[in-house]
Amino acid sequence: MNDMQKHFHKIPSVNWLIEELQNDFPGMKAEYLQRIILPCIEQVQQNPHKFNIEKHDKDAFRTRILQSLKNDLNQLQRGSIKKVINATGVILHTGLGRAPVNSDIIENLQTVNRYTSLEINLKSGKRGQRNDHLSELIRILTGAEAGIAVNNNAAAVMLMLNTFGNRKEVILSRGQMIEIGGSFRMPEVMRMSGCRLREIGTTNKTHLRDYEDAINKRTGAILLCHTSNYEVKGFTAHPDLEEIAALAQRHNIPLIFDLGSGSLISERIFGGQTEPDVSSFIEAGIDLVSFSGDKLLGGPQAGIIAGRKKWVQKCAKNHMLRALRLDKFMLKTLQQILIRYITDPESIETVIALKTGREELIERCNDFASKLSELDAEIETVPSAGKTGSGAYPLMELQSAAVRIKPRSKSVNWLASKLRQNHIPIFGYVEDDSLYLDLRVVTAEEENEISRVFKTLL
Ligand SMILES: *Cc1c(COP(=O)(O)O)cnc(C)c1O
């Protein structure tokens, strides 16, 4: 028996803990409580020091353990997925859940929480396709003949590749052999989809004749990838989309394009720059384009495929679709956001966030900074560079503004950590001993919460 083990009689019994906890959490099964209690007891046995077992008498120690378990259960009951405030200036922050979706769009989920017309054709009473709820909207918004949606864009790419390239070759330029975050590497994705990768060209230059020379009777598709997180500059070449499209059409091979972040807005946004929208790729003759629902589109996680009806229908018949399809909640949310693009795109939160200019942000930062003037910190509004995020135009900086806060008597890391652990966690970014808060995607209500918290901290 070592020194510590002589204190182990103070550890409360599992049965006593279960009974006590059931007073506070009467709905919880003893079995579940036991699974929560046991690891806690094990921790005490392994590291009794940490729990100060030697400093407590038996009664005090079991009260301490009971209280710690009560805290754990309260936390479990609240759930770990929380609302947070995004003051990072990155609109589509993958760590913070990508696109902000309008709350009035989410409210529509209440209409489908029970039974829905998910796969019933209400006119005929016969079995319908869940994709019928989206195809027409995608057609109107992109000019494509048809559309289909799955769980995310990675799934959309796999579905297209497997549909056309399974046991066949898929042609891809070496300049577009992308890896995006989270282990999505095109050569791997191809292998998983059953395709043989047929690499062509070089990193910096690929010519039309490279595409042409690679086509043979085993070719299943030509793939183009949006190089969403890098740019090849200098001595470079790649044929125009129209030229590749014409080539693909001549050989009756589908030309598919992994856009990643597809935008449905064609006007000048993004700080005055124009980026091609999905329609322009369809117009250029791409047979199928795929893009994410929760990137520039500003909707829920989803992958949308738009393009020629005959190819979309082939994707729809692939048995893989069963594993990739959307459930009623995501389908409803995606449908609502697509409808909103048709009827009132200016009201979509992600669109508003992208369009907000620096002047407006400076004004908001100044107002906000003036509310914090009493704090023990240096506070000023500074121009900053926001980001779209999620591989959407990674090299393009948004003209943004931020409030810079430099605490006088506390460290900036202490401040950032306190903010992260707020009951509504707050995320800014730290640079040069200062905390920066970019208010682009922070609501007025959230600003109030931030200033309330700051007054308690500094
Ligand atoms: C983001 C992205 C993907 C993956 O999309 P998810 O919706 O995250 O699955 C694939 N390809 C490109 C080019 C991307 O930018």
Side-chain angles (χ1 to χ4, degrees), residues 94 98 151-157 178-181 184 186 224-229 257-262 290-295 300-304 390-392:
T94 297
R98 287 195 184 163
N151 246 314
N152 49 36
N153 184 49
V157 173
I178 59 169
E179 168 179 324
I180 59 160
F184 185 92
M186 204 38 96
L224 301 171
C225 292
H226 179 55
T227 54
S228 57
N229 46 11
F257 198 153
D258 172 15
L259 271 185
S261 198
S290 79
F291 51 100
S292 295
D294 55 355
K295 290 187 182 171
Q301 178 185 302
I304 297 168
S390 281

Side-chain angles (χ1 to χ4, degrees), residues 174-193:
R174 290 190 174 91
Q176 298 183 359
M177 214 164 291
I178 59 169
E179 168 179 324
I180 59 160
S183 75
F184 185 92
R185 304 180 106 189
M186 204 38 96
E188 251 73 33
V189 173
M190 280 211 186
R191 199 167 34 247
M192 272 158 44
S193 311

Side-chain angles (χ1 to χ4, degrees), residues 121-135:
N121 181 323
L122 294 176
K123 268 198 203 127
S124 66
K126 294 212 173 78
R127 185 70 179 257
Q129 298 285 324
R130 64 179 73 194
N131 202 54
D132 294 346
H133 300 291
L134 299 175
S135 187

Side-chain angles (χ1 to χ4, degrees), residues 347-392:
S347 72
I348 294 170
E349 281 204 24
T350 302
V351 174
I352 295 171
L354 285 162
K355 286 192 171 189
T356 307
R358 177 170 276 165
E359 292 72 36
E360 185 188 331
L361 287 169
I362 287 180
E363 228 170 89
R364 268 165 56 191
C365 285
N366 282 339
D367 285 351
F368 180 70
S370 69
K371 284 190 231 160
L372 300 181
S373 56
E374 309 278 284
L375 299 186
D376 182 25
E378 263 175 48
I379 295 172
E380 62 169 347
T381 298
V382 293
S384 71
K387 277 203 166 293
T388 315
S390 281

